[in-house]
């Protein structure tokens, strides 16, 4: 058995922390945000850089997963073409709730400079978006800040079943 | 009495449209100036009808009839050593003369020469596929079909290559609007949510540069965030940006700058 060193001068001598269900669930959710690998264009390079050693997303508990069923947050990094639109919807539907979406970069936000027939003018036409990151492409620091803001948002909300599933329509 | 013609911009018009403008053209040389090209052209002319031929920027351009394209390319590949089809596509001249111009760019590694075979087809006419001669024509002819709607007879898989199979329209035609027609504008909405969702999702916003600082639905000013839909008066209290909640987060130690050490010596 593990030997726990107990500080008898704190917390009435008990190795216990008191909190609410909401707080502990949100603590867990916000600190292990597994992201779906979703590099669609050059923003994907910045997303990969954020995950790699220099910026190191693992510190936040953000680990990239290649499967939507294991992911909590979808970072849409790059240009969404109209041909691909149905697949982003399918992958979003495959993610388990609660789920969040970060729209990374100008193309994902509004279509960006691709004011053409083949580009979806903003991913929020297809799926609900929680956070828009400006930039072309945003620096990894921006994405880090974005993830921290998303963590803040998660902690600010109720964690229970009362949370309404997000639907675009 | 003469019919009245508005004379508002009589002075301004020639300023914007130069009636005497002639677009500059790359100078053309006679094929006889180059011995290799002259021999190649003679070999083509011996079997096929050539309507025009010249040298431009060191490359020979030969105009042939559309029905001869397979034969000419076979001749170039097997007898004249032009072993590679590096590029092929079409040019839309529909507005000018209701025709498509199709070009085949050929490369000879032995001769170190490039030849461009060109031909005109009518709108709606199909071409002979050269897929059996050059494998590179496989995707090029599919792209030509995708972008211009020109079909290639004898192609094994004459389908769209870039756009989805259920797309309507051919985007490289000059008549196709850059921002897409009605079908393109609603493509993803119709496909995923159905036509009845058009009213809910709304039309595309085609002006991404438009920034309205009073639009709290679409924009948030950093440090001055307000709830979505609030009418902004310009006197919002400034909100300090922070990475974490001020009181700290449950079970997470807040980073204290004072207790950290900055390493100045990179060689430590």
């Amino acid at each position: 058995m593990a030997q726990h060193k107990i500080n008898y001068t704190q917390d009435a001598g008990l190795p216990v922390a008191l909190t609410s269900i909401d707080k502990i669930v949100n603590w867990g959710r916000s600190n292990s945000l597994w992201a779906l690998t979703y590099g669609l264009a050059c923003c994907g390079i910045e997303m990969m850089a954020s995950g790699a050693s220099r910026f190191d997303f693992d510190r936040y508990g953000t680990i990239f997963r290649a499967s939507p069923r294991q992911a909590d947050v979808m970072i849409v990094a790059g240009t969404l073409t109209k041909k691909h639109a149905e697949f982003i919807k399918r992958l979003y539907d495959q993610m388990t709730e609660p789920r969040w979406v970060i729209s990374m970069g100008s193309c994902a936000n509004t279509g960006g400079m691709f004011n053409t027939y083949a580009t979806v003018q903003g991913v929020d036409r297809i799926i609900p978006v929680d956070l828009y990151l400006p930039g072309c492409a945003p620096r990894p620091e921006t994405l880090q800040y974005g993830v921290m803001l998303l963590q803040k948002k998660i902690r600010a909300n109720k964690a229970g079943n009362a949370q309404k599933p997000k639907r675009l329509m | 009495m003469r019919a009245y013609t508005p004379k508002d911009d009589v002075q301004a018009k020639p300023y914007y449209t130069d009636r005497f403008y002639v677009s500059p053209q790359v100078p053309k040389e006679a094929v006889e100036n180059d011995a290799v090209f002259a021999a190649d052209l003679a070999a083509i002319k011996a079997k096929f009808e050539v309507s025009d031929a010249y040298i431009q920027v060191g490359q020979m351009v030969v105009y042939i009839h559309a029905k001869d394209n397979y034969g000419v390319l076979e001749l170039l590949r097997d007898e004249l050593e032009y072993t590679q089809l590096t590029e092929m596509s079409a040019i839309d001249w529909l507005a000018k003369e209701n025709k498509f111009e199709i070009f085949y760019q050929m490369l000879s590694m032995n001769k170190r020469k490039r030849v461009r075979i060109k031909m005109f087809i009518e709108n709606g006419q199909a071409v002979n596929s050269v897929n059996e001669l050059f494998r590179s024509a496989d995707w090029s002819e599919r792209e030509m079909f995708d972008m211009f709607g020109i079909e290639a007879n004898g192609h094994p898989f004459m389908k769209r290559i870039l756009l989805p199979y259920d797309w309507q329209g051919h985007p490289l035609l000059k008549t196709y609007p850059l921002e897409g027609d009605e079908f393109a504008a609603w493509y993803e909405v119709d496909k995923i949510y159905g036509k009845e969702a058009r009213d809910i999702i709304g039309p595309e916003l085609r002006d991404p540069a438009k920034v309205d600082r009073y639009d709290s639905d679409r924009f948030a000013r950093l440090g001055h965030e307000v709830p979505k839909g609030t009418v902004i008066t310009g006197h919002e209290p400034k909100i300090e940006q922070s990475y974490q909640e001020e009181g700290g987060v449950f079970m997470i130690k807040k980073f204290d700058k004072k207790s950290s050490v900055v390493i100045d010596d990179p060689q430590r």
Side-chain angles (χ1 to χ4, degrees):
Chain A
M1 270 183 68
Q3 296 287 317
H4 293 289
K5 194 174 180 185
I6 297 164
N7 184 359
Y8 290 97
T9 61
Q10 272 185 5
D11 300 328
L14 295 168
V16 166
L18 291 178
T19 184
S20 63
I21 293 286
D22 276 343
K23 268 195 177 175
I24 187 98
V25 170
N26 281 338
W27 167 76
R29 279 180 184 164
S30 66
N31 288 299
S32 73
L33 274 175
W34 286 9
L36 178 62
T37 320
Y38 219 106
L40 291 171
C42 32
C43 280
I45 301 293
E46 299 295 302
M47 189 180 70
M48 288 174 230
S50 313
S53 55
R54 187 181 177 92
F55 296 94
D56 199 8
F57 255 161
D58 290 10
R59 294 179 295 151
Y60 301 82
T62 297
I63 299 164
F64 286 103
R65 308 300 297 180
S67 163
R69 301 188 192 280
Q70 298 170 356
D72 305 302
V73 56
M74 177 189 258
I75 302 174
V76 185
T79 320
L80 180 66
T81 57
K82 298 207 174 188
K83 193 180 184 180
H84 192 81
E86 56 173 316
F87 306 117
I88 204 170
K89 176 75 172 103
R90 191 186 298 171
L91 287 165
Y92 178 78
D93 287 343
Q94 284 174 350
M95 287 164 69
T96 49
E97 282 171 357
R99 56 196 172 194
W100 297 274
V101 176
I102 295 177
S103 162
M104 180 180 178
S106 297
C107 294
N109 292 342
T110 64
M113 65 176 178
F114 298 106
N115 193 4
T116 66
Y117 60 93
T119 308
V120 176
Q121 303 293 305
V123 283
D124 50 6
R125 289 177 65 75
I126 309 296
I127 52 177
V129 175
D130 291 275
L131 205 66
Y132 299 88
L133 301 182
C136 181
R139 290 276 307 163
E141 289 92 332
T142 315
L143 185 56
Q144 280 182 327
Y145 183 50
V147 167
M148 289 170 108
L149 283 184
L150 184 64
Q151 287 180 334
K152 246 175 106 173
K153 181 181 176 174
I154 292 166
R155 287 195 290 260
N157 288 335
K158 287 262 178 218
N161 290 333
Q163 188 185 15
K164 273 204 305 191
K166 278 174 288 189
R167 297 270 184 274
L168 189 64
M169 40 177 300
Chain B
M1 214 167 92
R2 284 175 301 178
Y4 175 73
T5 49
K7 299 175 185 67
D8 309 341
D9 51 356
V10 161
Q11 294 297 316
K13 254 184 182 159
Y15 181 79
Y16 294 110
T17 54
D18 184 357
R19 288 188 297 147
F20 305 106
Y21 179 76
V22 181
S23 61
Q25 284 214 325
V26 182
K28 298 171 183 173
E29 295 172 49
V31 179
E32 289 75 42
N33 293 356
D34 190 303
V36 179
F37 281 151
D40 292 342
L41 184 62
I44 298 171
K45 272 185 173 171
K47 288 186 179 174
F48 302 100
E49 201 178 327
V50 173
S51 53
D52 193 11
Y54 50 83
I55 295 177
Q56 218 170 18
V57 206
Q59 301 178 11
M60 181 166 69
V61 181
V62 181
Y63 282 88
I64 58 163
H65 290 296
K67 60 176 169 36
D68 297 333
N69 69 335
Y70 188 93
V72 170
L73 262 61
E74 195 175 32
L75 176 77
L76 282 169
R77 187 190 71 168
D78 295 340
E79 292 172 30
L80 304 180
E81 296 182 297
Y82 288 91
T83 48
Q84 287 181 30
L85 175 68
T86 52
E87 169 87 47
M88 65 154 290
S89 192
I91 302 162
D92 176 355
W93 293 117
L94 291 180
K96 214 174 173 184
E97 42 207 10
N98 200 28
K99 278 176 180 173
F100 285 109
E101 186 178 306
I102 295 178
F103 65 89
Y104 299 91
Q105 179 80 4
M106 313 289 298
L107 168 66
S108 170
M109 298 291 275
N110 291 348
K111 294 180 178 174
R112 284 181 281 169
K113 293 281 186 192
R114 288 178 196 269
V115 166
R116 187 152 58 251
I117 303 295
K118 287 192 167 192
M119 63 197 204
F120 286 102
I121 61 163
E122 299 292 324
N123 189 11
Q125 191 185 336
V127 296
N128 300 319
S129 171
V130 294
N131 176 41
E132 282 177 29
L133 293 173
F134 299 100
R135 292 290 285 121
S136 68
D138 186 346
W139 283 13
S140 296
E141 280 172 353
R142 281 180 68 188
E143 189 187 353
M144 192 169 73
F145 169 67
D146 198 353
M147 292 292 150
F148 294 97
I150 302 167
E151 288 184 43
N153 286 335
H155 191 284
F157 194 70
M158 197 74 255
K159 282 197 167 193
R160 287 183 184 275
I161 189 167
L162 295 169
L163 290 160
Y165 288 159
D166 56 350
W167 193 267
Q168 290 172 16
H170 301 281
L172 230 51
L173 294 175
K174 302 260 189 237
T175 48
Y176 195 90
L178 175 65
E179 298 181 358
D181 50 12
E182 164 132 17
F183 172 83
W186 293 103
Y187 176 78
E188 77 275 22
V189 173
D190 287 355
K191 190 162 191 187
I192 298 170
Y193 296 106
K195 273 204 166 85
E196 61 274 14
R198 284 187 181 192
D199 292 338
I200 302 164
I201 293 174
E204 291 176 323
L205 286 168
R206 281 287 182 180
D207 189 3
K210 189 186 173 201
V211 176
D212 181 4
R213 63 191 292 267
Y214 297 112
D215 181 0
S216 63
D217 279 317
R218 290 177 58 216
F219 299 102
R221 286 176 291 163
L222 280 180
H224 295 284
E225 283 95 345
V226 289
K228 200 174 182 179
T230 311
V231 180
I232 295 174
T233 56
H235 299 289
E236 302 84 50
K238 189 171 166 58
I239 300 166
E240 278 301 317
Q241 289 297 298
S242 61
Y243 297 103
Q244 278 180 358
E245 294 85 340
E246 269 315 300
V249 183
F250 171 64
M251 285 176 73
I252 296 173
K253 203 174 162 188
K254 196 167 171 68
F255 173 64
D256 184 12
K257 265 190 177 173
K258 283 172 193 162
S259 66
S260 63
V261 181
V262 178
I263 298 162
D264 293 325
D265 181 16
Q267 302 294 329
R268 75 194 160 89

